[in-house]
């Protein structure tokens, strides 16, 4: 019996998210996702040594005539740059990639975002197949078609909506995932419960030990449920004209922290994306309570769960509240009239709020 689960994304872009063990070796699945004669595998220095050969062998089994090249970047958010994006385009040029070529994004969120953006721009758009190998990429960044690179000025400031042709999440790859990366992914999993479903938060509270221990069944369930929440929203609102913005809970604060720290990477003490979102969600919950939108008890519940997952919940030392507020002005949800925050009414029910006064945001950033 196959243990693969499939979640469907519908609407303007239709594709399957396949979740299960050993899928990187499934040539039938990859063959379905491939067109043309060229494939560029984009990966990073942690993931490529573990899985690139296997993916290449599977691609060859799927399409013996395929010309395959690889583009490997150093790991870390600091590499999600315009410079690396240009190098990815150069790799496509060297491959003589035609419009029916496929970019294969093998890795975590950084690889997926960068590879997806290169695919979005090469010859005005070629296919990208997402092969996420981190929990965060499986539950969030590989789904929905947001692709981007960062600028020093802010996170994901240059990018495009470019949905994948398929998402194939091989859960066996989670066995080699460092604990810190697993915990970062759990932050985005908690986010779905926080914004959509308090019952899912309860499920996470009950399964916290199993998830942290890397239990296959618990992780597969968390991935499938997360993908179901995300697929529903991006099917209805692929370009974030409305409800998709709820998926940004914690990100206005989190992105400001990431940018202000200069992004995670080699030799950097910066929080990674999931960690920054964990802090950001607690700040968003505290702002909700401070503005009278939500009970403070729900902030404590969220904070306790994130702490149980070993995630940070306070702003790292040395970051100035005014500097973080200035960063937030480049948040993509901001309007000419000011910032817009995703807040919550209670655990499991998020909403978008405009017109939050700066001094209330600063109070939260100052821990008041
Ligand atoms: O898919 C979305 O929509 C999200 O907001 C999911 C986020 O978790 C993800 O980090 C996303 O890349 C953030 O997008 P941005 O528009 O705030 O840059
Ligand atoms: Zn995120």
């Amino acid at each position: 019996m196959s243990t693969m689960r499939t979640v469907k994304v519908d609407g303007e872009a239709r594709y399957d998210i396949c979740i299960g063990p050993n899928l990187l070796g499934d040539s039938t699945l990859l063959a379905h996702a491939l067109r043309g004669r060229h494939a560029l595998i984009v990966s990073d220095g942690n993931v490529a040594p573990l899985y690139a050969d296997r993916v290449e062998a599977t691609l060859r089994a799927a399409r013996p005539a395929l010309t395959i090249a690889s583009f490997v970047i150093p790991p870390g958010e600091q590499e999600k740059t315009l410079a690396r994006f240009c190098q990815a385009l150069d790799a496509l040029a060297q491959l003589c990639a035609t419009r029916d070529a496929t970019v294969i994004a093998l890795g975590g969120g950084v690889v997926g975002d960068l590879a997806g953006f290169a695919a979005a721009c090469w010859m005005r758009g070629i296919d990208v197949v997402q092969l996420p190998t981190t929990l965060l990429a499986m539950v969030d960044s590989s789904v929905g078609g947001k692709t981007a690179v960062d600028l020093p000025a802010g996170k994901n400031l240059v990018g495009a909506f470019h949905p994948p042709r398929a998402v194939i999440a091989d859960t066996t790859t989670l066995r080699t995932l460092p604990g810190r990366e697993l915990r970062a992914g759990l932050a985005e999993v908690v986010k779905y419960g926080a914004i959509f479903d308090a019952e899912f938060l309860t499920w996470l509270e009950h399964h916290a030990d199993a998830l942290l221990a890397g239990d296959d069944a618990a992780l597969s369930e968390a991935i499938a449920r997360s993908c179901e929440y995300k697929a529903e929203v991006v099917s209805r609102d692929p370009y974030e004209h409305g409800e998709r913005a709820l998926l940004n809970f914690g990100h206005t604060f989190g992105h400001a922290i990431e940018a202000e720290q200069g992004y995670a990477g080699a030799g950097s003490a910066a929080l990674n994306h999931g960690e920054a979102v964990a802090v950001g969600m607690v700040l968003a919950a505290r702002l909700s309570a401070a503005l009278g939108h939500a009970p403070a008890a729900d902030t404590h519940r969220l904070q306790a769960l994130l702490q149980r997952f070993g995630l940070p919940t306070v702003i790292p030392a040395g970051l100035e509240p005014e500097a973080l507020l200035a960063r937030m002005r480049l948040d993509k949800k901001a309007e000419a009239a000011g910032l817009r925050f995703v807040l919550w009414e209670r655990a499991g029910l998020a909403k978008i709020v405009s017109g939050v006064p700066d001094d209330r945001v600063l109070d939260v950033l100052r821990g008041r």
Side-chain angles (χ1 to χ4, degrees), residues 127-143:
D127 287 345
V128 60
V129 172
Q130 295 280 352
L131 304 183
T133 61
T134 65
L135 182 63
L136 189 142
M138 290 181 192
V139 301
D140 182 38
S141 56
S142 66
V143 177

Side-chain angles (χ1 to χ4, degrees), residues 24 47 51 105-108 131-135 137-138 170 173-174 176-177:
L24 292 184
V47 176
Y51 301 115
L106 173 67
L131 304 183
T133 61
T134 65
L135 182 63
M138 290 181 192
D170 181 343
T173 61
L174 297 178
T176 56
L177 191 67

Side-chain angles (χ1 to χ4, degrees), residues 11-282:
E12 194 176 307
R14 290 166 182 237
Y15 52 94
D16 285 352
I17 307 162
C18 303
I19 304 155
N22 301 313
L23 300 187
L24 292 184
D26 189 328
S27 54
T28 313
L29 209 54
L30 270 172
H32 272 121
L34 279 178
R35 302 187 302 130
R37 297 221 175 138
H38 302 100
L40 178 71
I41 300 174
V42 179
S43 193
D44 74 23
N46 286 338
V47 176
L50 295 172
Y51 301 115
D53 284 352
R54 189 177 316 166
V55 168
E56 194 168 330
T58 310
L59 289 170
R60 288 206 187 288
R63 290 284 173 84
L66 201 66
T67 304
I68 304 168
S70 293
F71 173 61
V72 179
I73 60 169
E77 186 76 34
Q78 279 178 343
E79 303 297 329
K80 212 175 90 177
T81 60
L82 278 173
R84 294 288 179 208
F85 163 75
C86 291
Q87 290 171 2
L89 297 181
D90 286 341
L92 285 163
Q94 265 188 1
L95 181 63
C96 267
T98 47
R99 293 190 78 181
D100 52 3
T102 304
V103 172
I104 308 282
L106 173 67
V110 169
V111 161
D113 282 11
L114 176 79
F117 187 40
C121 295
W122 180 253
M123 294 190 177
R124 301 197 187 91
I126 62 172
D127 287 345
V128 60
V129 172
Q130 295 280 352
L131 304 183
T133 61
T134 65
L135 182 63
L136 189 142
M138 290 181 192
V139 301
D140 182 38
S141 56
S142 66
V143 177
K146 275 191 181 177
T147 72
V149 295
D150 304 327
L151 296 183
K155 173 102 175 173
N156 295 342
L157 284 183
V158 185
F161 287 100
H162 189 61
R165 188 166 161 84
V167 179
I168 300 172
D170 181 343
T171 51
T172 319
T173 61
L174 297 178
R175 293 188 188 153
T176 56
L177 191 67
R180 186 173 174 189
E181 294 298 323
L182 183 81
R183 295 192 290 276
L186 288 170
E188 298 277 15
V189 175
V190 168
K191 182 186 77 179
Y192 293 109
I195 61 179
F196 293 137
D197 186 358
E199 185 275 328
F200 186 47
L201 281 182
T202 307
W203 185 89
L204 290 170
E205 285 159 353
H206 288 151
H207 292 82
D209 291 339
L211 290 163
L212 283 168
D215 177 80
D216 288 336
L219 283 172
S220 296
E221 180 66 16
I223 296 164
R225 286 182 71 168
S226 299
C227 287
E228 281 162 8
Y229 293 119
K230 182 149 189 183
E232 257 193 55
V233 175
V234 302
S235 297
R236 288 193 296 259
D237 182 20
Y239 301 112
E240 199 174 302
H241 295 309
E243 64 177 313
R244 181 170 182 165
L246 298 177
L247 298 173
N248 233 242
F249 184 62
H251 284 64
T252 308
F253 291 108
H255 283 177
I257 293 170
E258 287 187 84
E260 193 59 15
Q261 291 199 309
Y263 306 113
S268 140
L271 299 186
N272 63 34
H273 178 67
E275 292 165 342
V277 167
V279 176
M281 288 193 291
V282 173

